[in-house]
Amino acid sequence: MDSKFYYITEFARKTSISVRTLRYYDKIGLLKPTYTDESGYKLYTDTDLVHLQSILTFKFLGFSLKDIQTILSESSLDLTKKLKEQKELLEAKKDQINQIINAIEQVESSLISDSFNYESVTELIQMAHFNLRPEWVSKYLSTEDRKIMRNIAKQSYTKETLQKLADRGWTEEEHLRHLNDYKYFRDKLSELVKEGYKVESIEAQELVKFLMDMNNRYSQNDPQIKEGMKKSWERFKSLPESQKPKIYSIPDSEAEFIRHASMHYHQKLNGYTK
């Protein structure tokens, strides 16, 4: 398609983005003008307009400029695909906001009926805190995935244990680290099985140790949290395959591999290896 050319002031006017912001985006390499004229003036095009739209969409979704830069550099140049991905993220955000609006309406109804319960406010706070977190959740779990995992947690942990987890007040960075660690575990497990490693290999044993350390960080060696984790996993395994969030779903061959590798690890730890 034909592209128009815009000097920075014209581009700023057209997009309602300040010249200062555009210059900053240029400086950090997030949005560099496509061309430079003979006098050294930078020129933006309609393609840059689409690129800017992507940046603003991801900013609205809570991504940092650094993360946006990574996403856009790795993303396909296919405009249709880019817009589809952004639309899906915005739809997920809309669903999250609608859930919170529904929860607020329930609290309002309880006020009108004189049956006000402060626990409903507590649940509303937890829902808002969980649903409005930025990309570290949406990157890995869809709205439906989060709903499934939340229900499993409610069924698997006691109220006291759930309160312990809430009181710990994990930061977003800690949650992101946990999800990234789990993703590393899953990718490494798939790699070891695919490449035919033995359960007693150094690589497999190191992965078992990594998994144990990851779980201990999450549970903080608290017996109640560990029991809840165990029940959560059992409930997760009983779900139909179509309902299991993909990031947590492990093929039977990989599940068997890590199970036998763990058995070998503990046998060796206790001096029972053959």
Side-chain angles (χ1 to χ4, degrees), residues 140-142 145 149 182 186 236 241-251:
Y140 296 103
L141 299 169
S142 69
D145 288 342
M149 298 309 291
Y182 185 78
R186 289 289 291 106
F236 178 85
E241 286 300 320
S242 60
Q243 293 183 21
K244 293 178 180 177
K246 289 183 180 178
I247 190 171
Y248 294 122
S249 185
I250 300 179

Side-chain angles (χ1 to χ4, degrees), residues 185-186 189 193 197-200 204-205 208 233 237 250-264:
F185 163 74
R186 289 289 291 106
L189 176 58
V193 173
Y197 279 82
K198 301 292 185 182
V199 296
E200 62 271 16
Q205 294 302 293
V208 172
W233 182 240
K237 288 195 295 184
I250 300 179
D252 290 342
S253 59
E254 294 179 14
E256 279 297 294
F257 181 91
I258 197 65
R259 185 172 73 83
H260 286 292
S262 297
M263 288 172 58
H264 181 84

Side-chain angles (χ1 to χ4, degrees), residues 27-226:
K27 180 181 177 181
I28 64 174
L30 184 59
L31 177 62
K32 285 190 165 296
T34 303
Y35 296 107
T36 303
D37 69 9
E38 294 177 355
S39 302
Y41 289 103
K42 296 181 178 181
L43 297 169
Y44 292 87
T45 66
D46 288 331
T47 301
D48 297 321
L49 198 64
V50 173
H51 195 76
L52 178 61
Q53 181 272 330
S54 298
I55 292 169
L56 297 179
T57 298
F58 287 118
K59 273 191 71 179
F60 172 76
L61 291 166
F63 288 76
S64 69
L65 293 181
K66 184 178 179 180
D67 288 335
I68 294 171
Q69 197 163 14
T70 301
I71 292 166
L72 295 180
S73 65
E74 293 176 351
S75 181
S76 167
L77 294 176
D78 183 345
L79 175 58
T80 303
K81 183 177 179 182
K82 271 188 180 181
L83 290 174
K84 183 174 182 291
E85 290 170 352
Q86 291 168 37
K87 181 182 175 183
E88 289 172 353
L89 287 170
L90 288 167
E91 289 286 354
K93 174 72 77 175
K94 182 176 74 173
D95 290 343
Q96 294 165 12
I97 293 171
N98 284 337
Q99 287 177 31
I100 295 172
I101 290 172
N102 290 335
I104 290 173
E105 288 173 348
Q106 290 177 22
V107 174
E108 288 176 332
S109 297
S110 71
L111 283 169
I112 294 170
S113 62
D114 292 328
S115 59
F116 184 68
N117 184 346
Y118 280 99
E119 283 191 11
S120 62
V121 178
T122 302
E123 290 180 6
L124 176 59
I125 291 170
Q126 291 173 346
M127 181 182 293
H129 183 58
F130 185 81
N131 277 337
L132 295 182
R133 281 174 180 153
E135 81 281 1
W136 61 266
V137 173
S138 299
K139 188 176 180 181
Y140 296 103
L141 299 169
S142 69
T143 302
E144 186 59 30
D145 288 342
R146 293 197 293 276
K147 189 184 298 181
I148 289 169
M149 298 309 291
R150 191 185 302 120
N151 287 336
I152 287 177
K154 285 182 177 179
Q155 295 169 19
S156 305
Y157 293 90
T158 64
K159 285 186 177 180
E160 179 188 357
T161 308
L162 285 173
Q163 189 59 52
K164 277 185 184 179
L165 290 169
D167 290 344
R168 266 169 42 179
W170 268 24
T171 64
E172 290 175 8
E173 288 76 17
E174 288 169 318
H175 278 286
L176 182 57
R177 179 188 176 188
H178 182 68
L179 284 170
N180 281 338
D181 281 352
Y182 185 78
K183 187 176 185 304
Y184 167 81
F185 163 74
R186 289 289 291 106
D187 291 345
K188 192 66 179 178
L189 176 58
S190 297
E191 177 189 322
L192 294 182
V193 173
K194 184 178 179 180
E195 295 187 5
Y197 279 82
K198 301 292 185 182
V199 296
E200 62 271 16
S201 67
I202 293 174
E203 291 81 1
Q205 294 302 293
E206 285 179 345
L207 188 61
V208 172
K209 179 66 165 54
F210 179 87
L211 177 62
M212 289 175 59
D213 290 344
M214 181 178 68
N215 287 336
N216 285 335
R217 276 197 307 273
Y218 181 78
S219 68
Q220 294 186 341
N221 290 314
D222 185 307
Q224 291 178 317
I225 295 177
K226 283 186 174 181

